[in-house]
Amino acid sequence: MNELVPGGNVPLPGGAVTVRVPGPFDVSALITDDSGRVRGDEDFVFYNQPAAPGARLRGDTLTVDPPGLRAGATRVIVVVSPADPATPLGRLPAPTLQVTGVGGRPLARFAPPRPRQETVLLLAELYRRGDGWKLRALGQGYADGLAGLARDFGVDIADEPDGPAVPHTPSPAFPAPRTPSHTHPAPSAPTPTRPESRAPSATHPASHSSSAAGLAAHAPPTDQDGFLGLVNSARAAAGSPPVSVDARLAAAARSHASAMASAGRLGVEGPDGVSVHQRVAAAGYAYLTVGEHLVSGPRTPAEFVAYCLRTEQPRRTLRDPVFRHAGLAYVTDGRSGDTFWTALWATPFSAAGLARTQAEVVELTNRERARAGLLPLAVDPPLVTAAQAYSADMAARAFYSHTSPEGTQPWDRAAAAGSTRRSIGENIACGQRSPAEVVDGWMNSPGHRANILKPDFTHIGAGFAGGGPAGTYWTQLFGA
C-alpha cells in the first residue's frame, strides 16, 4: 500500500475504487472536467445528494467507478468537513484517507497535516491521465464552508435570507451557506533565506481610502472582454504558448481582488491575513509555478494588459512560457470608483514536473560543488522523501522553520524516512519562483552556502511545495 504525502500520486487499477474517511466527518465529492468546474448541481455528491453517475456515497465511504462517470468528467475531488458544522476541523482527529480497489485490496493511505481553523479540507482527487486514472493527495484547507466551496467550483446555491423563513426549493438541498472567513495562519519566523517582501507587480502608485460597501466583482470564466485574446496575442509575439482560463484561479483572483478593494490598498496579503497564494491553494489549484499581477487603475481588461506590458517585470510575468493557466478578476468600489485587479498565472502540479524541479535543484547544487572542486552529491531516496514531506508540511501548515511545530529536527525527519546517514544538514527557503533562484539565494547566504559546499556530504534530497503565505517552500537535506 502506498503512503502518500501532499502532492504525491499513485496510478489506480481498472474498476471501481472505494475512498473512506472514518471519523466524525462528512465526505463529499465534486465531479468536474479539466477546467475544474462542475457541469451542474448534479455533480456535487454529499449527504443530501448521495449519488451521481459513477459515484455513490454511503456514510463515510465514497465509491467511484471512473468508466461510469458522466461524459466529459475527468476529475473527482474528495472533500471532508466536520459532521458538526460548528466544530473546526482542528478540534477533531486528523482525517485519514483510505483507498481500496476491487475486492478490498488496499491501494493508498493519506494522512494530511492536521488542519487548524479550516472548515473544509480538499483531501484528494481522482483524475484521468491518458487512458487511465490516478489518485493525487491534496490536503489543502478551505475556510469558506461547504457552500462556499461549491460556489467556487460552479455549483449554483441560493443564499438563505435573513429574517423569517421564506419557502424555497434549492437544488440540491445544500447546507446553509456560511459567511466566508479565510483562515489566518500564524506568521512564519524570518530566516536568512527568506526573500524580502515582494511588491505587487505593476502596482498603481495612487493611495486609496475605499470602503467595503458597494463592491462590484467580475471574474471571467472564459474570454470575457477579450482578456484572453489580448494576453495570448502578447505571448505569441514573445514566442510563448497560449494560456487558458482556469476556474479555480479565477475564483482565487476574485477573492483577492475583493479583499484588496475592501481594504482600499494593494498587497500580496489581504486585510484578513491571507496571501494570494493561499487563496490559490484554497481554491483547489495545486501548482508548480505561480505568478501574479496586483494592479489598481485600469478600467478595462485591455487597459490592464497594456499597463502590464509597459514595464519589464510585469511584462516578463505575462509572457513567461512556463505558465499554462490564468485567472483574472477585478472589483470596483462603488464609493471611491477605484478598481482593483488580480491576475494569476500558474503551471499545474504534476509528478513529472515535481521530479524535474527536484532534479534541477540537485543539478544546480552539484554545479556549484564542481566549481569549488568538490565531488557531486548523489540523490538519496530517503532524503528526498523527508525533504519533500517537509516542504509540503510547511506550505500546508503555514510555518517556516528548521524545527517543526511538533519539535522535530532535520535529523529526526531523515531518520523517520528511513535514512541511515550519520550526519545530516538542511537548507530551507520560501518565496523563490524557480530552482535557479533558490540555489542562487542559498549560495549568497554563508550558512546555506557552507552546507552546499561541505566536503563531507555525499548525498542529497530536494523538496518543493506550492502554497502557504510565501507561495513556495524549498528544502534541501544533505547526508554523509
Side-chain angles (χ1 to χ4, degrees):
M1 183 173 66
N2 294 278
E3 291 281 349
L4 298 178
V5 297
N9 64 77
V10 62
L12 296 175
V17 174
T18 298
V19 176
R20 180 170 180 256
V21 186
F25 307 106
D26 284 333
V27 179
S28 310
L30 290 156
I31 301 166
T32 80
D33 55 22
D34 286 335
S35 72
R37 303 282 286 182
V38 299
R39 187 176 62 180
D41 295 348
E42 66 276 7
D43 282 346
F44 189 19
V45 178
F46 69 117
Y47 55 83
N48 275 346
Q49 184 170 275
R56 178 170 293 277
L57 179 65
R58 289 191 177 93
D60 61 6
T61 301
L62 174 72
T63 301
V64 179
D65 181 21
L69 294 170
R70 54 97 170 160
T74 59
R75 186 178 303 165
V76 179
I77 297 110
V78 180
V79 181
V80 293
S81 55
D84 176 6
T87 304
L89 282 170
R91 296 183 184 176
L92 300 176
T96 300
L97 181 79
Q98 302 170 0
V99 184
T100 57
V102 176
R105 173 188 165 212
L107 299 176
R109 180 180 179 275
F110 174 49
R114 188 183 185 89
R116 294 187 178 182
Q117 300 174 22
E118 294 88 346
T119 57
V120 171
L121 194 66
L122 305 181
L123 199 54
E125 65 176 353
L126 289 75
Y127 62 101
R128 184 189 297 165
R129 178 56 54 87
D131 294 331
W133 283 73
K134 301 183 77 173
L135 171 79
R136 177 184 292 128
L138 297 176
Q140 295 167 342
Y142 197 100
D144 281 10
L146 201 57
L149 172 73
R151 284 194 186 95
D152 281 352
F153 278 83
V155 180
D156 185 21
I157 301 176
D159 288 341
E160 294 284 355
D162 295 329
V166 178
H168 68 293
T169 54
S171 173
F174 293 100
R178 301 184 180 90
T179 302
S181 56
H182 290 281
T183 302
H184 185 170
S188 55
T191 74
T193 56
R194 189 180 183 111
E196 295 180 0
S197 298
R198 292 180 181 270
S201 298
T203 54
H204 188 69
S207 61
H208 305 278
S209 59
S210 60
S211 166
L215 301 180
H218 315 268
T222 56
D223 193 10
Q224 179 175 308
D225 298 332
F227 166 73
L228 197 62
L230 292 165
V231 164
N232 284 333
S233 176
R235 289 175 64 85
S240 299
V243 293
S244 59
V245 171
D246 185 276
R248 294 162 295 177
L249 293 179
R254 180 173 66 249
S255 176
H256 198 72
S258 296
M260 291 192 299
S262 296
R265 61 176 173 83
L266 296 162
V268 174
E269 184 177 286
D272 52 2
V274 180
S275 77
V276 65
H277 311 106
Q278 288 172 295
R279 298 187 204 282
V280 173
Y285 189 100
Y287 59 83
L288 282 172
T289 312
V290 68
E292 69 280 339
H293 287 114
L294 310 177
V295 179
S296 172
R299 294 164 296 177
T300 66
E303 289 186 10
F304 171 82
V305 172
Y307 188 80
C308 292
L309 289 173
R310 279 187 209 142
T311 52
E312 177 59 27
Q313 182 56 49
R315 182 167 59 245
R316 186 182 304 127
T317 297
L318 188 146
R319 292 176 170 177
D320 196 325
V322 304
F323 295 134
R324 294 293 178 266
H325 295 144
L328 173 75
Y330 51 102
V331 177
T332 301
D333 186 330
R335 293 185 178 181
S336 70
D338 292 331
T339 300
F340 293 82
W341 297 74
T342 299
L344 295 171
W345 316 86
T347 302
F349 177 91
S350 69
L354 175 61
R356 286 193 299 270
T357 299
Q358 293 168 320
E360 190 173 350
V361 170
V362 174
E363 178 185 353
L364 292 170
T365 298
N366 280 334
R367 189 177 299 172
E368 297 293 343
R369 288 177 64 88
R371 288 173 181 162
L374 299 171
L375 293 174
L377 301 171
V379 174
D380 183 70
L383 293 182
V384 174
T385 298
Q388 180 58 35
Y390 198 56
S391 286
D393 193 21
M394 288 190 291
R397 294 201 283 173
F399 73 94
Y400 181 68
S401 171
H402 289 287
T403 303
S404 76
E406 293 75 29
T408 64
Q409 300 294 332
W411 42 89
D412 300 320
R413 297 187 288 272
S419 174
T420 58
R421 304 293 162 192
R422 299 186 306 269
S423 177
I424 295 292
E426 181 179 76
N427 285 345
I428 59 175
C430 64
Q432 294 81 0
R433 303 301 176 98
S434 68
E437 186 179 344
V438 74
V439 173
D440 184 65
W442 281 325
M443 288 299 294
N444 286 316
S445 169
H448 302 90
R449 179 186 177 92
N451 270 343
I452 289 175
L453 300 182
K454 185 172 181 178
D456 292 345
F457 284 143
T458 56
H459 290 80
I460 187 174
F464 164 85
T472 58
Y473 292 79
W474 306 80
T475 303
Q476 282 180 316
L477 274 178
F478 304 92

